[in-house]
Amino acid sequence: MTQNNTINRRVVLASRPHGTPTLSNFRLEETAIPTPATGQVLLRVTYLSLDPYMRGRMSDGPSYVAPVAIDEVMGAGTVARVEASQHPDFKAGDLVLSQSGWQDYALSDGTGLTKLDPNMEKPSYALGVLGMPGFTAYVGLLDIGQPKAGETVVVAAATGAVGSVVGQIAKLKGCRVVGIAGGADKCRYAVEELGFDACIDHRSADFPQQLAKACAKGIDVYFENVGGPVFAAVLPLLNVAARVTVCGLIAQYNATDVGDGPDQLPLLMRAILTKRIKMQGLIIFDHYATRQSAFLSDMSTWLKEGKIKFREDIVTGLENAPQAFLGLLEGKNFGKVIVNVAG
Amino acid sequence: MTQNNTINRRVVLASRPHGTPTLSNFRLEETAIPTPATGQVLLRVTYLSLDPYMRGRMSDGPSYVAPVAIDEVMGAGTVARVEASQHPDFKAGDLVLSQSGWQDYALSDGTGLTKLDPNMEKPSYALGVLGMPGFTAYVGLLDIGQPKAGETVVVAAATGAVGSVVGQIAKLKGCRVVGIAGGADKCRYAVEELGFDACIDHRSADFPQQLAKACAKGIDVYFENVGGPVFAAVLPLLNVAARVTVCGLIAQYNATDVGDGPDQLPLLMRAILTKRIKMQGLIIFDHYATRQSAFLSDMSTWLKEGKIKFREDIVTGLENAPQAFLGLLEGKNFGKVIVNVAG
């Protein structure tokens, strides 16, 4: 199925998953490309961001974002070109960051659009290291984690869009950085390319023992992207006054009921009390007004100076977005997942 | 068994409890009253503080304080009079705050002694509203909870030494305050005497429903002293950006193994993430250097102005300390438990 110039393809939510999503929860549809009315622009999506939080939007349980309605386009951050404009602030050819979702074309009245430098080298970075994931890493590590030089920082999903940036910023701050990732390739990359001090494969049978060995002085800051057994291995290693940023829980997004016993909650409460641990959840939308300019300034500098590397896992074609998303939930991606829709 | 002037009575830890402590874990002993050497003072304990944290010191699991050794005197904060002094900074008759433990007399080289106003109206307040519990309430509510006027603050163990102060400070800050306590008498006291907006009996069969009704706008700040089923009822009511001060977990101090399933930990992690909740443990020893003078100034003023009330549950006689401590762990006390040793 290829795209032509009169058809808009879009991926809608066909049904809500019970547990792990499957391809049958999505449907690729064709509609006519819409025409912008006065005050509107027509956007051509070039890059589409796939992120774990989207799993939450497929369900209708209580969450911090409204669920996607059945038969509606899956939401997502996107980079797009203005194809036609009836809006005074935008002209054809402008490059923008938008929330156009999983589709080729979208209308916008300009709300929430951010103009990007039309000549930026890697426009997809606006969805990654210079966008929401990078900003999440920045605020979650610096504002909540507050790492000090010499401390041990552990980051889960260490080669992912957020985790890879967390670890590299922590290195810039003088910390010992231990990553947790799935598989030897990712672990090698975290150490050899990203400069982490160690990276432990959470699929190893002796993962808890390896993690303890890599964190001989305990853990001062833990950046949580995973949950489940990974957190269970981290918890006993947390130091007095440790800070835990709870940014994601990809291991438990597909859970359909409460976990089997024993109940680990009293254990966590006791650790929080006796070790004065701080745990704090992070939703990046809360922080744009106060912290985004500092983030963009710092991150642009670090990229320019080669101090932060960022790996993308680019999938070509909108029609491949559902499969790529299912792979992301299973940790099959290696780096930030970007769908090249028409880049 | 009464005290005479040549014998020092002391309560030692006879054995470590497995689960709920019993009287057999303690032993009342008699020794000679010691004689101060050069540089020492002999202290006569007048008031002895009993606090839930002492349960932790009876066990030898990892904790933030070293355990009491078998056959050693149980530790405790005390108010004492200097009986005899060979120390240049102290003279007979001085009133001091000390860590003399569960005994009539103790020697000290002056380390950790704080002189009190010898004419203070209620010396035992130095162990309560003007001491460690009051300071815990102050820092835990204001620094971690950060309540804003109009917010809903819920406090567990609402008539206890810490909880009663937490609730009253929250009222002074313009919050809606809902207490949780065990029994109708305590709940009535919290509302009628302490000025709480509501207080729910956690022994009621429909406690979770009653709590939800009393917190119609959800919970912005929760001050945890209890854990267990009380926390389970609080968790679903926490608002976005709620703050949870974890100060005590009296309901689980006697647990001998991990709890029965289902595992509630993933539920908590999800709530922390989706609601950006902050949870933080509190050990008051961390805060003396930076916050004690502000606390003493504020609290003295509030007491003088009648804005804070403080109820003591005074037990007479050192020999009754073990039984009073067991009652405290079961919530049988009504107010701050103080043993009047020789007041």
Side-chain angles (χ1 to χ4, degrees), chain A residues 8-328:
Chain A
N8 180 30
R9 298 174 310 158
R10 54 189 207 175
V11 178
V12 302
L13 181 66
S15 58
R16 300 203 185 282
H18 180 76
T20 304
T22 65
L23 288 177
S24 70
N25 297 125
F26 303 95
R27 189 174 64 243
L28 186 66
E29 292 187 341
E30 296 190 349
T31 62
I33 295 175
T35 305
T38 304
Q40 289 186 326
V41 294
L42 175 66
L43 298 174
R44 175 69 170 107
V45 172
T46 52
Y47 295 102
L48 163 66
S49 178
L50 296 182
D51 302 279
Y53 77 84
M54 295 168 176
R55 172 63 187 86
R57 299 204 60 195
M58 296 178 74
S59 297
D60 59 1
S63 185
Y64 53 94
V65 282
V68 177
I70 296 292
D71 296 333
E72 271 201 6
V73 176
M74 286 288 297
T78 45
V79 169
R81 288 243 176 231
V82 175
E83 189 89 358
S85 178
Q86 300 285 344
H87 189 294
D89 298 343
F90 299 93
K91 60 179 194 302
D94 280 353
L95 191 68
V96 296
L97 184 66
S98 63
Q99 286 285 330
S100 300
W102 298 26
Q103 57 185 340
D104 288 317
Y105 292 91
L107 293 178
S108 167
D109 65 0
T111 307
L113 294 190
T114 305
K115 283 193 196 180
L116 298 172
D117 175 354
N119 301 314
M120 74 185 285
E121 206 184 330
K122 293 206 171 192
S124 58
Y125 271 20
L127 302 171
V129 65
L130 287 168
M132 188 266 285
F135 188 30
T136 299
Y138 183 89
V139 170
L141 179 68
L142 298 180
D143 294 12
I144 298 179
Q146 300 181 345
K148 291 185 274 290
E151 288 190 325
T152 298
V153 174
V154 172
V155 56
T159 62
V162 176
S164 64
V165 179
V166 167
Q168 290 176 91
I169 297 177
K171 283 304 298 177
L172 291 177
K173 299 296 177 185
C175 300
R176 171 173 173 82
V177 175
V178 177
I180 298 172
D185 282 357
K186 289 180 180 176
C187 287
R188 197 176 310 115
Y189 174 80
V191 172
E192 293 177 6
E193 296 297 321
L194 301 180
F196 288 20
D197 297 284
C199 187
I200 314 297
D201 184 352
H202 65 75
R203 295 171 184 167
S204 304
D206 62 341
F207 161 64
Q209 290 75 20
Q210 285 193 46
L211 184 66
K213 203 174 159 191
C215 303
K217 291 181 182 174
I219 299 172
D220 300 298
V221 177
Y222 176 56
F223 197 101
E224 176 63 291
N225 290 311
V226 175
V230 168
F231 184 67
V234 165
L235 181 56
L237 302 178
L238 292 173
N239 285 333
V240 166
R243 290 79 70 196
V244 176
T245 303
V246 182
C247 172
L249 294 166
I250 199 165
Q252 62 185 64
Y253 287 165
N254 291 332
T256 52
D257 54 15
V258 292
D260 290 340
D263 186 3
Q264 303 289 331
L265 179 55
L267 198 72
L268 174 61
M269 295 293 280
R270 185 179 162 78
I272 290 174
L273 173 63
T274 59
K275 294 179 177 173
R276 303 84 125 173
I277 292 166
K278 181 179 80 169
M279 295 187 72
Q280 190 166 352
L282 168 68
I283 305 291
I284 196 60
F285 308 123
D286 298 338
H287 303 276
Y288 279 89
T290 53
R291 296 287 282 148
Q292 193 187 18
S293 63
F295 158 67
L296 286 174
S297 161
D298 282 344
M299 189 58 76
S300 305
T301 305
W302 290 332
L303 283 170
K304 215 169 294 169
E305 295 173 350
K307 290 181 177 166
I308 297 268
K309 295 181 181 180
F310 192 70
R311 178 175 180 135
E312 296 182 317
D313 187 336
I314 294 185
V315 176
T316 302
L318 178 67
E319 66 279 13
N320 295 316
Q323 187 65 62
F325 180 66
L326 301 185
L328 170 63

